[in-house]
């Protein structure tokens, strides 16, 4: 599928926020949570959790206009939403998006 310039811009924006949100989720799960529960450093979860929450909201907010611009069907939109709550989900969805719509950074 060939994308117009506007569609490519939306896809790139979505990919960036998706990757940043995915990284923040992994940092929360694999760095901040162990710091809180193993090393008794609760501020790690406070700050990383806040940042991840903000990025999660931006990600969810971006799914719907991106789906509209790129003409995603219901299942692709659903999987974009599902990817946001699974560890490594945004990376898998991004790889799928990159293959199917030939979107590069």
């Amino acid at each position: 599928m060939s994308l117009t310039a506007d569609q490519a811009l939306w896809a790139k924006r979505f990919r960036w926020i998706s990757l940043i949100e995915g990284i923040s989720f992994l940092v929360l799960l694999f760095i901040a949570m162990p710091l809180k529960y193993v090393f008794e450093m609760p501020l790690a979860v406070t700050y990383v959790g806040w940042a991840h929450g903000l990025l999660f909201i931006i990600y969810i907010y971006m799914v719907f206009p991106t789906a509209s611009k790129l003409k995603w069907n219901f299942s692709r939109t659903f999987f974009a939403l599902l990817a946001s709550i699974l560890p490594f989900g945004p990376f898998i969805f991004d790889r799928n998006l990159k293959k199917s719509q030939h979107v590069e950074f």
Side-chain angles (χ1 to χ4, degrees), residues 11 14-27 29-30 52 55-56 59-60 63 72 76 78-98 105:
F14 182 76
R15 287 188 70 210
W16 273 107
I17 193 62
S18 173
L19 294 176
I20 294 168
E21 191 273 337
I23 290 168
S24 75
F25 190 32
L26 294 178
V27 169
L29 289 177
F30 297 115
H52 169 67
L55 290 166
F56 176 78
Y59 178 91
I60 296 299
V63 166
W72 290 350
R76 183 176 297 263
F78 175 76
F79 285 119
L81 294 170
L82 182 64
S84 69
I85 60 171
L86 299 173
F88 303 102
F91 306 109
I92 296 167
F93 185 78
D94 178 65
R95 185 177 62 199
N96 180 279
L97 179 64
K98 186 177 174 182
F105 279 118

Side-chain angles (χ1 to χ4, degrees), residues 42-79:
L43 282 180
V45 169
T46 301
Y47 295 123
V48 175
W50 182 87
H52 169 67
L54 182 64
L55 290 166
F56 176 78
I57 290 168
I58 293 169
Y59 178 91
I60 296 299
Y61 178 76
M62 288 292 294
V63 166
F64 296 106
T66 303
S68 174
K69 291 283 186 181
L70 299 181
K71 297 176 178 49
W72 290 350
N73 58 20
F74 175 79
S75 63
R76 183 176 297 263
T77 305
F78 175 76
F79 285 119

